[in-house]
Amino acid sequence: AQSVTQLDSQVPVFEEAPVELRCNYSSSVSVYLFWYVQYPNQGLQLLLKYLSGSTLVKGINGFEAEFNKSQTSFHLRKPSVHISDTAEYFCAVSPLFGNEKLTFGTGTRLTIIP
Amino acid sequence: DTGVSQNPRHKITKRGQNVTFRCDPISEHNRLYWYRQTLGQGPEFLTYFQNEAQLEKSRLLSDRFSAERPKGSFSTLEIQRTEQGDSAMYLCASSSRTSGNTGELFFGEGSRLTVL
């Protein structure tokens, strides 16, 4: 079984400031890691994913995340946020083998302050 | 590619009534998932289809819930005798086996259920 922990339920950040959204996971098997974003009144969109290879992955809209196996973390970062980044961000994992069933964290609401 | 489509987008019903949601996945996708999302929580897995076969069900899916995918294309999720605790956003997602298990699910915009 897998579990995902997003300790920060809400993160307010000033526009153009950097941001880090934290994600830790627990799993008895190897997993793929994902960040999904949900803009107001919209469905979930894939932001980025880690499958294998380089532990630093880049996604859309200038976001990146770093996989740290020893710390079982997959934190999301952006060097300079924009008002349009206001959204709910979900970290998720799925097992390497089998179907793509995702286990999500509880989400982090990112609010950009003008 | 028109994306994953869900209907209705919003449903308000009285406790005890039955409701049905429909999901049309991306046309070439053979895997279909249902999730439930309540306020302040992440999406929770409900059930999964590969083609028309329902291969996995969560214990969250009580006997009042039933999902079908009769021809391996669209899917329906029916909730019988709704309860206030069923109020949530019901999300549908699809994926293509041909891309392997890359974990990428394509989500619809969801169907929001409010039970009065």
Side-chain angles (χ1 to χ4, degrees):
Chain A
Q2 296 85 44
S3 66
V4 178
T5 302
Q6 292 181 250
L7 289 174
D8 305 308
S9 60
Q10 297 187 57
V11 173
V13 181
F14 285 103
E15 193 173 13
E16 298 183 5
V19 68
E20 178 179 86
L21 305 183
R22 296 179 295 168
C23 172
N24 289 86
Y25 70 94
S26 173
S27 177
S28 56
V29 299
S30 296
V31 295
Y32 295 134
L33 297 135
F34 308 86
W35 278 96
Y36 279 81
V37 60
Q38 189 173 34
Y39 297 105
N41 300 315
Q42 294 187 28
L44 290 158
Q45 299 175 34
L46 181 67
L47 200 56
L48 49 79
K49 61 185 177 184
Y50 173 78
L51 304 182
S52 64
S54 172
T55 57
L56 183 65
V57 292
K58 295 187 183 298
I60 61 173
N61 301 337
F63 283 93
E64 63 182 31
E66 186 158 19
F67 170 53
N68 187 319
K69 188 173 183 179
S70 62
Q71 296 185 3
T72 60
S73 68
F74 191 53
H75 301 331
L76 180 71
R77 303 184 183 100
K78 186 170 182 177
S80 175
V81 296
H82 188 267
I83 288 286
S84 60
D85 293 323
T86 296
E88 189 95 21
Y89 292 80
F90 293 95
C91 182
V93 301
S94 73
L96 259 62
F97 301 104
N99 60 42
E100 298 92 346
K101 185 176 77 173
L102 291 168
T103 299
F104 286 88
T106 52
T108 298
R109 181 170 298 279
L110 178 62
T111 302
I112 308 303
I113 305 166
Chain B
D1 180 358
T2 58
V4 178
S5 176
Q6 293 189 245
N7 290 288
R9 294 289 311 280
H10 304 275
K11 178 72 176 178
I12 300 173
T13 191
K14 293 182 179 179
R15 185 164 51 97
Q17 298 295 305
N18 299 344
V19 297
T20 299
F21 300 112
R22 175 179 170 128
C23 172
D24 288 89
I26 294 171
S27 58
E28 65 269 24
H29 284 184
N30 65 336
R31 294 180 173 183
L32 187 147
Y33 299 76
W34 285 98
Y35 283 80
R36 182 173 69 185
Q37 185 179 17
T38 54
L39 203 60
Q41 299 296 318
E44 296 173 295
F45 170 79
L46 291 179
T47 189
Y48 154 66
F49 290 85
Q50 182 161 307
N51 300 313
E52 66 276 8
Q54 188 174 21
L55 298 184
E56 189 172 347
K57 291 194 294 186
S58 163
R59 64 179 184 275
L60 293 174
L61 214 65
S62 75
D63 55 6
R64 295 185 297 105
F65 288 70
S66 62
E68 294 182 342
R69 196 182 182 198
K71 297 182 180 179
S73 56
F74 73 91
S75 175
T76 58
L77 177 68
E78 181 183 17
I79 308 173
Q80 295 182 326
R81 305 181 304 281
T82 53
E83 302 173 355
Q84 288 184 327
D86 297 331
S87 295
M89 177 76 84
Y90 290 86
L91 299 169
C92 178
S94 68
S95 69
S96 169
R97 187 184 182 191
T98 57
S99 62
N101 181 12
T102 62
E104 182 168 1
L105 297 184
F106 295 82
F107 283 86
E109 293 187 329
S111 293
R112 183 172 295 283
L113 173 65
T114 302
V115 182
L116 302 176

